[in-house]
Amino acid sequence: MALMASELAEIEQMLASSDAGSQAYSELRRRYPHLAWIRCDASDVTETPFRSFREFDLHLLDSADHCAQITADPERATGIVLAKRDAAS
């Protein structure tokens, strides 16, 4: 199932909040179980983030075709890569 614009706005709002912290990943997975979720360290992702927040880089995942890939197109997104940023970043 594709990511809806309203869902993306809610995800961005949650990640932008000052209390996003370590619970963000589990809370987002709970709220949006139809999306694919990947959590990693920001240094593990070479692509430019779709959005960057204080603690996380947000990448959109397109898994509609055979191979999953990062996309900049929200209309193709079927999941999220949530990359934890170093506190010094």
Side-chain angles (χ1 to χ4, degrees), residues 6 13 16 24 27 30 32-33 36-37 45 52 55 64 67-68 70 72 82 88:
S6 61
Q13 184 177 11
E27 178 61 20
R30 185 189 68 74
Y32 308 100
W37 288 91
V45 186
S52 289
E55 294 191 44
C67 295
I70 300 292
L82 195 58

Side-chain angles (χ1 to χ4, degrees), residues 14-15 17-25 54-56 82 84:
M14 184 173 179
L15 292 174
S17 75
S18 61
D19 62 340
S22 61
Q23 300 300 325
Y25 179 76
R54 185 170 57 93
E55 294 191 44
F56 300 97
L82 195 58
K84 179 82 167 100

Side-chain angles (χ1 to χ4, degrees), residues 51-82:
R51 299 275 190 271
S52 289
F53 301 94
R54 185 170 57 93
E55 294 191 44
F56 300 97
D57 285 337
L58 174 70
H59 299 269
L60 303 179
L61 183 66
D62 175 3
S63 59
D65 296 326
H66 238 17
C67 295
Q69 60 187 351
I70 300 292
T71 182
D73 184 355
E75 292 183 15
R76 292 204 42 93
T78 57
I80 301 288
V81 176
L82 195 58

